[in-house]
């Protein structure tokens, strides 16, 4: 077994185990760690496929941003004394059916959507920059302005809350 | 399989370098602190107290490893390693010689900046696993500080990427010229300050304020697990200094080859000393001052540096 296959197997195992754990583990913090393992596994898959920029961005944005935000929320959530925050659902079967349905729908639609057209992809970060700052410059700038406006809005709202 | 074994060997080498660096760093910090505050520091064991570091290691190894009753055992036990691992991983992308890095990747600089975010998660988990209000507070403070200072840190490195035209650290070192020093002086200053805050060192050491929060997010750790946290902290100092010496200060410049590596180590040691000097001379800042300083001073300063490089770039 070559190193690459071993790496891919490890990435798949991390993704699957993390995904299952994130759904089934009852303790919130452990579920969060499973989610982190899943996100890290996805980054490892990107790295295996040669998209090193995407892999690092995945770690940066999802593990460093989204996951930290969720862990923050768990830590600041109110909890009963000497009891760990736990997830309890009364709709196990129903939610599993809905999740399976959504997954199947996504799989089928994505498979047919990209079946005919070969999407041009490049593993290189400089190609990505040329693409973003060349043909897609307007969309890129619009997204930037939108995010800036959102950031300023958050600042204004928070400031208003302080004054009240 | 060979690449896997090679990676394993590099991993072990990195851990050994950081562990050794941490042991020497503790001794050096005591000496620096002693000299700055007009006292001697360690001086009894060996010449200039240098054997003190050998005495410290067995002491930590043989201390009892206490796990609090209420703690979440598996998380408590594994969290220190998860805090330490990203520090060792970040070292892999640093070019030690012109044209060579242990892990030479086209997104190396981004890798170096992204890896501490794994550390933030690990610190939060460690703080939570102790089931202790003070640790949780320390963990939340550490995380908020690390996330906030990631922004100016990343911005301060961006001018380097612009000048080199590449995210590969080896390319940055390759295209480095001496006049980058005055051009990037502001960015370098922002990088050093943001890095000190990122590694939770004084004067930004609120998360682990020994006297108020009893070492903050690792207050319930003892023995070797506590030592791993300290190793992670000293490892972060060494890694951040090594990165700055390699990219901002031109790796081995003005020398090449083996002498260049010595020059790189000397520059790193100088930066490490500056970090320690800052800790032992400057008073600690308050949490709100810390975050305000980040968003109103450091981020604009980094943006100014970025603008300067952006204006100069077409004429180069």
């Amino acid at each position: 077994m070559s190193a690459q296959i071993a790496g891919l197997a490890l990435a798949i195992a991390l993704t699957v185990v993390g995904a299952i754990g994130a759904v089934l583990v009852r303790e919130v913090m452990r579920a969060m760690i499973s989610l982190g393992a899943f996100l890290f596994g996805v980054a490892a898959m990107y790295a295996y496929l040669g998209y090193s920029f995407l892999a690092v961005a995945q770690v940066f944005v999802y593990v460093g941003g989204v996951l930290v935000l969720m862990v923050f929320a768990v830590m600041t959530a109110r909890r009963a004394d000497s009891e760990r925050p736990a997830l309890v659902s009364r709709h196990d079967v129903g939610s599993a059916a809905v999740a399976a349905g959504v997954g199947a729908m996504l799989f089928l639609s994505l498979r047919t959507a990209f079946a005919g057209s070969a999407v041009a992809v490049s593993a290189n970060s400089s190609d990505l920059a040329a693409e973003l700052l060349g043909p897609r410059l307007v969309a890129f700038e619009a997204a930037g302005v939108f995010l800036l406006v959102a950031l300023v809005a958050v600042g204004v709202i928070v400031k208003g809350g302080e004054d009240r | 399989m060979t690449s896997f074994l090679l990676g394993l060997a590099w991993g072990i080498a990195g851990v050994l370098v950081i562990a050794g660096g941490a042991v020497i760093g503790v001794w050096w910090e005591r000496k620096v602190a002693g000299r700055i505050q007009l006292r001697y520091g360690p001086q009894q064991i060996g010449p200039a107290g240098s054997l003190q570091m050998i005495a410290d290691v067995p002491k930590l190894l043989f201390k009892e490893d206490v796990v609090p009753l209420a703690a979440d055992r598996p998380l408590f036990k594994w969290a220190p390693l998860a805090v330490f691992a990203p520090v060792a991983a970040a070292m892999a992308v640093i070019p030690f010689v012109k044209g060579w890095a242990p892990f030479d990747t086209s997104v190396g600089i981004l890798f170096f900046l992204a890896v501490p975010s794994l550390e933030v998660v690990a610190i939060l988990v460690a703080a939570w696993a102790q089931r202790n209000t003070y640790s949780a507070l320390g963990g939340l403070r550490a995380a908020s500080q690390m996330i906030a200072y990631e922004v100016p840190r990343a911005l301060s490195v961006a001018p380097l990427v612009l000048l080199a035209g590449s995210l590969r650290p080896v390319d940055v070192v390759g295209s480095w010229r001496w006049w980058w020093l005055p051009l990037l002086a502001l960015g370098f200053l922002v990088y050093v300050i943001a890095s000190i805050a990122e590694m939770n060192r004084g004067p930004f050491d609120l998360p682990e304020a020994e006297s108020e929060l009893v070492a903050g997010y690792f207050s319930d750790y003892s023995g070797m697990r506590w030592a791993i946290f300290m190793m992670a902290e000293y490892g972060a100092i060494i890694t951040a200094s090594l990165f700055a010496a390699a990219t901002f200060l031109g790796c081995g410049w003005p020398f090449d080859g083996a002498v260049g590596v010595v020059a790189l180590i000397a520059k790193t040691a100088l930066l490490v000393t500056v970090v320690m000097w800052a800790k032992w001379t400057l008073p600690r800042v308050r949490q709100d001052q810390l975050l305000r300083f980040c968003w109103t001073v450091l981020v604009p300063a980094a943006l100014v540096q970025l603008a300067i490089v952006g204006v100069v770039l077409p004429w180069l």
Side-chain angles (χ1 to χ4, degrees):
Chain A
M1 191 165 64
S2 73
Q4 286 211 313
I5 305 248
L8 181 67
L10 199 67
I12 291 174
L14 205 59
T15 314
V16 171
V17 171
I20 291 173
V23 176
L24 294 185
V25 171
R26 275 178 191 274
E27 272 187 45
V28 182
M29 189 54 96
R30 292 188 184 179
M32 288 294 124
I33 292 167
S34 300
L35 186 65
F38 165 75
L39 295 170
F40 201 75
V42 173
M45 297 269 252
Y46 289 148
Y48 170 80
L49 291 171
Y51 297 106
S52 48
F53 179 81
L54 203 55
V56 175
Q58 163 86 8
V59 171
F60 218 155
V61 175
Y62 283 94
V63 182
V66 175
L67 187 65
V68 167
L69 194 68
M70 289 163 108
V71 172
F72 247 91
V74 171
M75 285 182 75
T76 46
R78 207 166 62 87
R79 57 175 185 240
D81 275 335
S82 73
E83 197 180 311
R84 292 168 182 162
L87 289 171
V88 182
S89 170
R90 292 193 208 88
H91 309 288
D92 289 342
V93 181
S95 45
V98 170
V102 171
M105 198 174 74
L106 275 175
F107 177 74
L108 290 174
S109 58
L110 284 178
R111 205 184 54 166
T112 50
F114 294 111
S117 64
V119 183
V121 282
S122 66
N124 201 336
S125 56
S126 60
D127 289 352
L128 189 69
E131 182 81 6
L132 275 179
L133 298 178
R136 302 193 205 291
L137 181 61
V138 177
F140 183 67
E141 282 294 317
V145 169
F146 178 71
L147 286 175
L148 184 67
V149 169
L151 208 61
V152 172
V154 167
V156 169
I157 293 168
V158 169
K159 191 87 183 103
E162 272 174 2
D163 288 346
R164 237 171 273 141
Chain B
M1 213 67 210
T2 45
S3 63
F4 179 74
L5 288 176
L6 199 66
L8 194 69
W10 276 119
I12 292 170
V15 169
L16 286 179
V17 165
I18 291 180
V23 171
I24 297 169
V26 171
W27 170 75
W28 183 242
E29 168 132 48
R30 286 177 179 173
K31 288 307 264 189
V32 170
R35 291 299 153 140
I36 284 173
Q37 301 181 342
L38 291 182
R39 47 195 176 85
Y40 287 108
Q43 52 159 340
Q44 295 295 325
I45 311 170
S50 56
L51 294 182
Q52 181 70 46
M53 46 186 167
I54 296 171
D56 280 344
V57 175
K59 181 193 82 173
L60 287 170
L61 279 173
F62 290 115
K63 264 191 179 174
E64 190 186 353
D65 179 21
V66 183
V67 181
L69 264 183
D72 193 325
R73 274 186 88 87
L75 295 189
F76 183 89
K77 290 201 159 178
W78 286 97
L81 286 174
V83 172
F84 179 75
V87 178
M91 194 172 256
V93 295
I94 297 173
F96 287 85
V97 193
K98 205 170 178 176
W100 180 85
F103 176 46
D104 187 8
T105 167
S106 60
V107 288
I109 287 183
L110 206 60
F111 182 92
F112 182 81
L113 293 170
V115 149
S117 48
L118 292 174
E119 209 186 330
V120 177
V121 179
I123 282 179
L124 280 174
V125 169
W128 191 86
Q130 294 165 59
R131 310 283 301 149
N132 172 341
T133 310
Y134 298 102
S135 312
L137 274 177
L140 286 174
R141 282 177 166 205
S144 66
Q145 178 175 333
M146 288 174 84
I147 292 169
Y149 277 82
E150 253 174 39
V151 176
R153 195 175 190 227
L155 280 175
S156 69
V157 174
L160 276 173
V161 178
L162 267 185
L163 281 171
S166 169
L167 277 169
R168 187 189 289 265
V170 170
D171 289 349
V172 174
V173 172
S175 50
W176 192 87
R177 300 286 175 275
W178 65 267
W179 45 264
W180 285 24
L181 277 178
L183 184 64
L184 295 178
L186 183 62
F188 179 61
L189 190 67
V190 172
Y191 174 84
V192 170
I193 296 175
S195 295
I196 291 177
E198 178 93 31
M199 56 183 105
N200 299 324
R201 290 274 305 179
F204 306 109
D205 61 345
L206 281 155
E208 49 186 81
E210 298 99 279
S211 43
E212 294 87 351
L213 285 173
V214 269
Y217 55 84
F218 55 104
S219 58
D220 276 342
Y221 281 92
S222 57
M224 203 52 212
R225 286 182 211 282
W226 175 85
I228 294 174
F229 276 103
M230 293 310 282
M231 261 162 64
E233 185 174 325
Y234 280 93
I237 301 174
I238 294 165
T239 317
S241 306
L242 204 55
F243 181 80
T247 55
F248 281 100
L249 304 182
C251 204
W253 179 81
F255 305 106
D256 270 330
V259 190
V261 176
V262 175
L264 177 70
I265 292 171
K267 285 174 189 174
T268 308
L270 189 70
L271 284 174
V272 169
T273 311
V274 169
V275 170
M276 290 172 178
W277 178 19
K279 167 160 182 162
W280 292 99
T281 44
L282 297 170
R284 189 181 290 147
V285 296
R286 236 170 35 220
Q287 184 79 13
D288 59 323
Q289 293 170 334
L290 176 115
L291 291 176
R292 186 170 302 138
F293 177 69
C294 171
W295 293 110
T296 59
V297 178
L298 280 187
V299 171
L303 287 174
V304 165
Q305 173 70 79
L306 198 59
I308 291 172
V309 171
V311 168
V312 173
L313 200 60
W315 279 278
L316 295 178

